[in-house]
Amino acid sequence: MLRRNIRLRREYLYRKSLEGKERLLYEKKRKIKEALAEGKPIPTELRNEEAALRQEIDLEDENTAIPRSHIDDEYAKATERDPKILLTTSRDPSAPLTQFVKELKFVFPNAERINRGGQVISEIIESCRAHDYTDVILVHEHRGVPDGLVICHLPFGPTAYFELLNVVTRHDIKDKKAIGTMPEAHPHLILNNFKSKLGERTANILKHLFPMPKQDTKRIITFANQSDYISFRHHIYEKHGGPKSVELKEIGPRFEMRLYQIKLGTVDQTEAQNEWVLRPYMNTTKKRKFIGD
């Protein structure tokens, strides 16, 4: 199993290293297509390669014309089977963190929770690969308050790091009758204001944690971005007298997330390349938003 994972990782890195060459070749073909479409002469620097490039262009179709990237490989098989998620915490978790993770287990369908114990991250990741888990979610805390969420996609990444703020669990809500029961049906997703390239990347990481829902599912999970703070809300809806009498009930938990890093690799790979990092000087750019409007 170890040799297989090493081989697959090398193949992944090799495909990733070819992206620059494929992108350069794609740009050359694009210039030739534009020149032919507009009736302009072929650019001087491409005249020696024109015959070979035009032959490749004639053999391409819609699926092969655009070069693939490592991002396409990460979730290439995501639609073939439902996600299988492992939930765990930092070592020696407090009672509030344990309660929060228990509730997260019901938020994510097909999730399993384990006690961290003395296991190191590399052992957890290796065990999850061997048992065909698709994602690992690590929850961290500071003085009994959950403050960090790490989403690691397997087998090769990416890994997204989020800061958690304003965490309110079902356990903290006193009026149990007002919040409704916790269903285990596959939820509908609402992803609001993920409009930038980074926003689309973040939404892609979040949405693949959930399987395809049925049409009559009354469970709704919302990720709403505002000023790069992502609000998580969990509701069920009820129809008492028709389509215009829909009543929403929040069933918890609720919290805010702030993305501060995306890494092209798993959480145990310290050498993995950073795709995006929130730098300290970015906090002063008040009018600049990275994920959405």
Side-chain angles (χ1 to χ4, degrees), residues 79-94:
T79 57
E80 296 179 4
R81 60 190 181 100
D82 289 344
K84 184 180 178 183
I85 301 171
L86 182 78
L87 270 167
T88 188
T89 64
S90 52
R91 288 197 181 96
D92 194 19
S94 64

Side-chain angles (χ1 to χ4, degrees), residues 193-200 202 225 227-228 258-259 276-279 281-283 285 287-293:
N193 196 20
F194 292 85
K195 296 183 178 179
S196 67
K197 190 174 182 180
L198 177 63
E200 293 175 357
T202 307
N225 171 52
S227 300
D228 289 351
R258 191 186 188 195
L259 177 71
W276 185 84
V277 180
L278 180 67
R279 301 295 183 185
Y281 63 84
M282 293 180 180
N283 293 325
T285 56
K287 294 183 180 179
R288 186 176 179 186
K289 299 179 177 64
F290 299 100
I291 295 179
D293 295 336

Side-chain angles (χ1 to χ4, degrees), residues 8 29 36 45 51 59 103 109-113 178 186 189 202 205 208 233 289:
L8 292 174
K29 293 177 183 178
L36 293 173
E45 68 272 13
L59 296 174
E103 295 184 8
N110 303 328
E112 297 179 17
R113 183 180 66 88
H186 296 176
L189 288 184
T202 307
I205 293 171
H208 282 109
R233 297 294 184 268
K289 299 179 177 64

Side-chain angles (χ1 to χ4, degrees), residues 13-157:
L13 292 174
Y14 175 70
R15 291 194 303 271
K16 186 172 178 295
S17 68
L18 295 178
E19 289 180 17
K21 297 178 182 178
E22 292 176 354
R23 176 60 59 179
L24 181 61
L25 185 61
Y26 171 74
E27 289 298 325
K28 290 180 179 180
K29 293 177 183 178
R30 184 183 61 80
K31 290 179 181 179
I32 289 179
K33 287 180 181 179
E34 289 180 356
L36 293 173
E38 297 174 3
K40 296 181 179 179
I42 302 297
T44 308
E45 68 272 13
L46 299 178
R47 288 178 181 173
N48 293 334
E49 305 176 69
E50 177 190 359
L53 290 174
R54 288 185 67 172
Q55 186 176 5
E56 291 186 17
I57 291 172
D58 293 338
L59 296 174
E60 289 177 344
D61 57 17
E62 294 180 356
N63 296 323
T64 58
I66 300 175
R68 291 174 58 86
S69 69
H70 63 280
I71 295 176
D72 300 319
D73 291 336
E74 290 169 349
Y75 293 101
K77 298 183 179 180
T79 57
E80 296 179 4
R81 60 190 181 100
D82 289 344
K84 184 180 178 183
I85 301 171
L86 182 78
L87 270 167
T88 188
T89 64
S90 52
R91 288 197 181 96
D92 194 19
S94 64
L97 181 64
T98 303
Q99 180 64 35
F100 179 58
V101 174
K102 285 180 180 178
E103 295 184 8
L104 283 183
K105 178 184 180 298
F106 294 102
V107 169
F108 299 104
N110 303 328
E112 297 179 17
R113 183 180 66 88
I114 65 165
N115 295 324
R116 172 76 176 272
Q119 294 186 56
V120 296
I121 292 295
S122 58
E123 292 176 353
I124 294 174
I125 297 297
E126 192 64 33
S127 177
C128 288
R129 284 200 187 103
H131 292 86
D132 293 328
Y133 282 87
T134 60
D135 297 271
V136 175
I137 298 179
L138 303 171
V139 188
H140 299 281
E141 67 178 338
H142 178 69
R143 295 184 177 179
V145 179
D147 70 337
L149 187 75
V150 182
I151 301 174
C152 175
H153 184 66
L154 298 178
F156 306 124

Side-chain angles (χ1 to χ4, degrees), residues 176-195:
K176 302 300 181 185
K177 294 182 180 178
I179 62 175
T181 58
M182 175 77 82
E184 296 188 20
H186 296 176
H188 293 291
L189 288 184
I190 298 176
L191 297 164
N192 183 48
N193 196 20
F194 292 85
K195 296 183 178 179

